[in-house]
Amino acid sequence: MEDRLCRVTVGEKTFFYPAGTPYGRIAEDFPGQQDCPALLVASNGRLRELHKPLREDCTLEYITIKDEIGYMAYRRSVTLLMLAAVRRVAGADGARVVLHFSADSGYYCTLKGKKKPDQEFLDAVKGEMRRMADQKLPIRKENVNTSEARRMFAAAGMPDKEKLFRYRRASRVNTYCLADCRDYFYGFMVWHTGYLRWFDLRSYDEGFVLLFPERESPGRIPDFHPSRKLFKIQQEAERWGERMGVNGVGDLNECISQGESGHLTLVAEALQESRVAEIAGEISGRPEVKFVLIAGPSSSGKTTFSRRLAVQLTARGMKPHTISLDNYYHNRENTPKDAEGNYDFECLEALDIPLFNRQMKALMEGERVELPRFNFQTKKREYRGDFLQLGKEDILVLEGIHGLNGRLSYMLPASSKYKIYISALTQLNIDEHNRISTTDGRLIRRIVRDYLTRNTSARETIAMWPSVRRGETNYIFPFQEQADAVFNSALVYELAVLKLYAEPILFQVPEDAPEYTEAKRLLKFLDYFLGLPSETVPAHSILREFIGGSCF
């Protein structure tokens, strides 16, 4: 410890600590640390891990599991704890864990080259995790030369990490050590295992799920209710990646550096188009269907998908008409408000549900109907002579966030509806132990699109993203299992293309802005990718909805 004292301000109170005191030691002096301890701190606005020493006068903010950044640090740290426990139970050469994708409130994992782990094995691993948590073992951060890291991971049988760092510009890299387990993780970790009190392991499919606690109620592990439809689509996406020889970012970078990205782009687009055609075939085989309802979270590519589906339906002799449910918004003065008194455009009641049902029912019965258009400048519905009457081959393709909610189309018989859930379910991971969040992929898509088409800064998009996520949680995700089909709009190569658009936009976020930490995190994430020019992206690609140049 140094003799110099530093002024530390927390809230409205000021304290003095010797320079060199770990931030984690300071955090122990404040109330609430037992039930919801600080996992990280923001020192003068800069994110710090708790093992870092105090060096200057600062204002401290505590980051807990209830904060998004703290929650992700918790998940990463529990993942490392699980890897270390598996190593102890199975032996250093006994099992290799592969983290695949999110499944409900956890991560779906398998043991590479091994049979499905039974519950006895998982219970042993869970017991070891709890023992290690009780021991408060330090999670040590070590900064090593990138070349050394490559040699280390190659020797440890982690070729995905070796390949990842082959394309790393930085000369050094941070690794984390827990007991005899050394690994690389994208993002900050907790100080020691004593913070990791809540987790579970459940056998599922051919592997197991590492379950995490709820953010708002960290002492509770939610019941495991996986979406079988989403799980199947995510497995299919991984198989597509394997077919193209791209399982991680290192594989993608190698493909780009060797000049093979053009072929990869064409194959990825062809696989996606085959799925669009498959869904169109299912719809055409059900002549009673008159309404195709498409829903999905923000930036999932609903608009382009609906147009591509319409093309495939036309090829099967049908006459599709694409309609946005946004046209049924109430006039602004009739829009409901949320608890804060702001207009709530996400809720179902923001749409004129009775009008929508009357018109759809009339169309189904063969009547001629004048459809509305919502004018987003005047904030009112307008009628411009858009008349429609359905014949035998006509079908409506309706796109909007509430498409899967049965309350939207309560007057229409179930047999007349075909529901499609669309989302960008990222099939690419950074490496075997670091997944790419589907949410991050969609956020980067939206940052690029909002800037290019709506003159909205990255700072504004990042600021509104939590509200967008709340709307998805309330109005979209609860209905995804009601879909007749699920479509994955993510493309294995897209983040390499989006990188060249997103980076200059993200660099515009001021360092003193609240959104800077998130912008910096996304910039660090994009740094893993080699950039890929957009010239080879087809005009009909869903990616064109975000970068421009779409034929639709």
Side-chain angles (χ1 to χ4, degrees), residues 23 26 28 76 112 163 182 216 256 273 289 297 301 309 323 338 397 433 446 452 463 480 485 543:
Y23 287 114
I26 298 172
E28 292 171 356
R76 280 189 293 271
K112 195 165 189 175
K163 187 178 289 186
R182 190 176 188 184
E216 294 304 319
I256 294 170
E273 188 63 26
V289 171
L309 180 63
I323 296 173
D338 59 22
V397 179
H433 300 153
R446 179 148 181 170
L452 294 178
Q480 60 192 19
L543 188 54

Side-chain angles (χ1 to χ4, degrees), residues 152-177:
M152 178 185 71
F153 288 126
M158 300 180 182
D160 54 324
K161 285 183 170 61
E162 189 280 328
K163 187 178 289 186
L164 177 71
F165 292 123
R166 193 183 306 169
Y167 300 95
R168 182 84 170 178
R169 292 185 181 90
S171 60
R172 301 191 69 81
V173 64
N174 291 319
T175 62
Y176 288 93
C177 299

Side-chain angles (χ1 to χ4, degrees), residues 492-529:
V492 72
Y493 70 88
E494 69 174 78
L495 285 165
V497 175
L498 290 168
K499 168 192 174 79
L500 300 180
Y501 291 87
E503 283 184 333
I505 304 170
L506 288 165
F507 274 118
Q508 295 175 19
V509 178
E511 291 187 23
D512 60 351
E515 297 78 21
Y516 177 73
T517 299
E518 179 68 353
K520 184 178 179 182
R521 184 186 70 83
L522 292 172
L523 283 168
K524 180 184 176 184
F525 166 64
L526 289 169
D527 197 46
Y528 288 110
F529 295 84

Side-chain angles (χ1 to χ4, degrees), residues 55 79 109 140 144 196 207 289 339 341 344 384 420 427 441 468 539 541:
R55 293 298 186 199
T79 300
C109 308
R140 303 186 309 277
V144 300
L196 309 176
V289 171
D344 188 352
R384 306 178 186 176
I420 302 172
Q427 64 265 56
V468 172
S541 174

Side-chain angles (χ1 to χ4, degrees), residues 21 35 48 51 56 71 163 168 170 175 192 292 305 335 353 415 421 432 454 469 510:
T21 304
D35 297 331
R48 297 289 193 190
H51 72 271
E56 60 184 0
Y71 188 56
K163 187 178 289 186
R168 182 84 170 178
T175 62
H192 57 70
V292 178
F305 171 75
T335 302
I353 304 302
S415 60
Y421 177 74
E432 287 186 345
R454 302 174 184 177
R469 295 289 312 283

